[in-house]
Amino acid sequence: MRDVAIIGVGITKFGELWDKSFRNLISEAGTKAILDAGIEGKDIDALYVGSMSPGRFVGQEHIGALVADCSGLDTLHIPATRIEGACASGGMALRQAYISVASGINDIVVVGGVEKMTDVVGGEATNILAMAADQEWEAFFGVTFPGLYAMIARRHMYEYGTTREQMAEVAVKNHENGLLNPNAHFHRKITVEDVLNSPKVADPLTLLDCSPISDGAAALILAPLDEARKYTDKIVKIIGSGQASDSLALHGREDICTLRATVEASKQAYKQAGIEPKDVDVAEVHDCFTIAEILAIEDLGFVKKGEGGKAVEEGMTRLDGEIPVNPSGGLKAKGHPVGATGIAQAAEIVLQLRGEAGKRQVKDAEIGLTHNIGGSGASCVVHIMEVI
Ligand code: COA
């Protein structure tokens, strides 16, 4: 297996982007990544793109070919493949791109993620997202993702004494970080009281515990490590990649307070990287709801099970904390255009490791981790990267 580097990143603004279409978004992200890497169209061997539900959100399928076409790569006839894994579509696309370069099949690969979610009304977006839950056991009975994560939150509160205030602290921190990210969906400071008093979505979760419905895209350029310097000096190596699955419905799990897919995917990634959780300097984790960030820091091994709420409350995951989590603002404030999220997380970690994250730069970051979840945890992809 060859070593693989990320040599370029591109990201669009995230938010409710009325003036940009699905294809505008992915071409903008792809073009930025290509310029960042210093490659040309003729260098590209393959293209992968993560997108969850473009057929329902914008009426467009056959996304691989569309993206090659709208990026001007159609005349090169390169393989262009769309990957779907609910909200983990982006992370899975990155893993497939990584495997294709590591295997020696491809050299330069573009991997993107995109979703345009705001062209449908809010309730319809909720229904489309719920298609990634178990239709027969969950969605048919009216449970949506806020509902599923609310059940997890209640159980976590019961088992470990996690409080509403601790969950709210996740949103407060991520909105604070989002203020420092020009591409974030929200630039708005909030307080714990704001979170507790915002409209109830699914008890105990309120509006400000939830990630939003967003539009956006992100892209990366991958290359074999030993060829990377031909193009750029800004090289970040992928040192670990893991992916795992779990039962689609919550009731199939032994313990709904532990996302086994996260535990297993991170175990693979840590083993390949030869590091332990304590070696990670910065992480972008899947905070689709505030409780999800608490689960993530526990299941990734940053803290013991049950201690996530306390760790957040004590500031461990703040920009200047022991392990800064979601410096980009996370899904909560940066936004969550589902197919784009896994790629955007990797783009943030690359910027952090290159020392190019501006006001949200984590000091001396050398090793970074991304954690991308599909649905309520039935899929998980973890990547670990190191600057060289
Ligand atoms: N966080 C902060 N503010 C939010 C927000 C969020 N998640 N969602 C909406 N807002 C703001 C809007 O900007 C708007 O503000 P304004 O009045 O100042 O313009 C206001 O709240 C109302 O927005 P609206 O679009 O009407 O909200 P909504 O009630 O239709 O949707 C949620 C709110 C929480 C239901 C929606 O964001 C949601 O479904 N989130 C979860 C997404 C999800 O499940 N993703 C998959 C995870 S697995």
Side-chain angles (χ1 to χ4, degrees):
M1 223 171 71
R2 300 191 293 182
D3 285 332
V4 179
I6 299 178
I7 61 167
V9 301
I11 188 158
T12 68
K13 165 107 185 74
F14 280 13
E16 204 167 336
L17 308 174
W18 295 107
D19 56 339
K20 290 200 172 143
S21 69
F22 183 91
R23 57 184 85 194
N24 293 154
L25 288 167
I26 190 66
S27 344
E28 181 186 326
T31 306
K32 283 179 172 167
I34 285 171
L35 290 173
D36 185 46
I39 61 163
E40 294 177 35
K42 65 175 173 41
D43 299 321
I44 300 169
D45 295 320
L47 185 155
Y48 290 85
V49 58
S51 199
M52 176 187 158
S53 202
R56 290 292 299 275
F57 282 121
V58 293
Q60 177 73 60
E61 296 289 9
H62 206 168
I63 299 306
L66 171 86
V67 174
D69 187 1
C70 69
S71 311
L73 298 173
D74 52 322
T75 52
L76 298 174
H77 310 294
I78 58 166
T81 310
R82 177 245 181 130
I83 312 280
E84 187 277 315
C87 308
S89 300
M92 284 186 194
L94 171 56
R95 186 167 151 86
Q96 290 307 311
Y98 165 73
I99 290 170
S100 89
V101 178
S103 72
I105 289 181
N106 293 309
D107 285 335
I108 303 291
V109 172
V110 182
V111 54
V114 55
E115 214 79 51
K116 172 85 182 149
M117 302 170 77
T118 67
D119 284 358
V120 298
V121 294
E124 180 59 6
T126 303
N127 290 338
I128 295 170
L129 289 167
M131 289 164 63
D134 189 314
Q135 282 302 310
E136 290 189 9
W137 289 102
E138 294 175 333
F140 175 81
F141 297 100
V143 189
T144 60
F145 276 111
L148 291 168
Y149 277 93
M151 287 191 248
I152 295 174
R154 271 275 169 244
R155 190 71 202 175
H156 206 277
M157 292 166 87
Y158 173 80
E159 291 279 352
Y160 303 110
T162 302
T163 64
R164 278 297 293 121
E165 287 75 11
Q166 290 170 342
M167 285 185 244
E169 290 283 4
V170 172
V172 170
K173 166 184 71 70
N174 290 348
H175 270 253
E176 231 169 80
N177 293 349
L179 274 170
L180 307 175
N181 181 354
N183 288 323
H185 188 147
F186 296 119
H187 292 113
R188 180 178 155 210
K189 194 169 168 56
I190 58 171
T191 63
V192 168
E193 288 66 40
D194 292 334
V195 181
L196 302 185
N197 296 327
S198 66
K200 196 72 91 187
V201 174
D203 189 62
L205 304 178
T206 66
L207 181 93
L208 290 173
D209 283 292
C210 305
S211 59
I213 305 292
S214 314
D215 305 327
L220 308 168
I221 312 292
L222 268 51
L225 184 62
D226 55 13
E227 286 180 32
R229 289 222 189 272
K230 255 184 14 201
Y231 301 98
T232 178
D233 290 333
K234 301 183 286 189
I235 297 170
V236 168
K237 180 180 165 189
I238 299 178
I239 57 171
S241 175
Q243 182 177 336
S245 57
D246 201 347
S247 76
L248 192 56
L250 285 189
H251 71 256
R253 303 189 193 160
E254 221 170 90
D255 165 19
I256 66 170
C257 293
T258 298
L259 299 191
R260 289 296 310 176
T262 296
V263 174
E264 296 303 325
S266 60
K267 221 190 265 175
Q268 294 166 26
Y270 288 132
K271 186 169 175 213
Q272 185 188 349
I275 65 159
E276 294 179 28
K278 67 172 171 45
D279 300 320
V280 174
D281 298 317
V282 54
E284 284 281 307
V285 310
H286 200 95
D287 59 321
C288 50
F289 300 93
T290 50
I291 185 65
E293 182 166 314
I294 290 173
L295 294 187
I297 61 174
E298 295 172 351
D299 296 337
L300 290 167
F302 298 153
V303 296
K304 285 204 193 106
K305 183 50 66 186
E307 294 182 2
K310 194 164 147 262
V312 173
E313 190 174 38
E314 290 174 353
M316 179 181 174
T317 53
R318 294 173 63 87
L319 268 188
D320 57 356
E322 200 178 309
I323 162 81
V325 170
N326 286 328
S328 69
L331 284 53
K332 173 69 207 78
K334 181 186 61 197
H336 185 25
V338 284
T341 283
I343 303 292
Q345 292 176 322
E348 174 69 14
I349 291 298
V350 170
L351 292 176
Q352 289 287 347
L353 299 184
R354 292 190 337 197
E356 295 174 5
K359 291 185 180 155
R360 62 186 192 283
Q361 180 66 48
V362 171
K363 207 163 159 270
D364 301 329
E366 287 180 359
I367 293 182
L369 177 148
T370 60
H371 163 259
N372 190 198
I373 285 282
S376 63
S379 302
C380 179
V381 190
V382 172
H383 283 99
I384 303 177
M385 298 159 201
E386 183 173 22
V387 67
I388 56 167

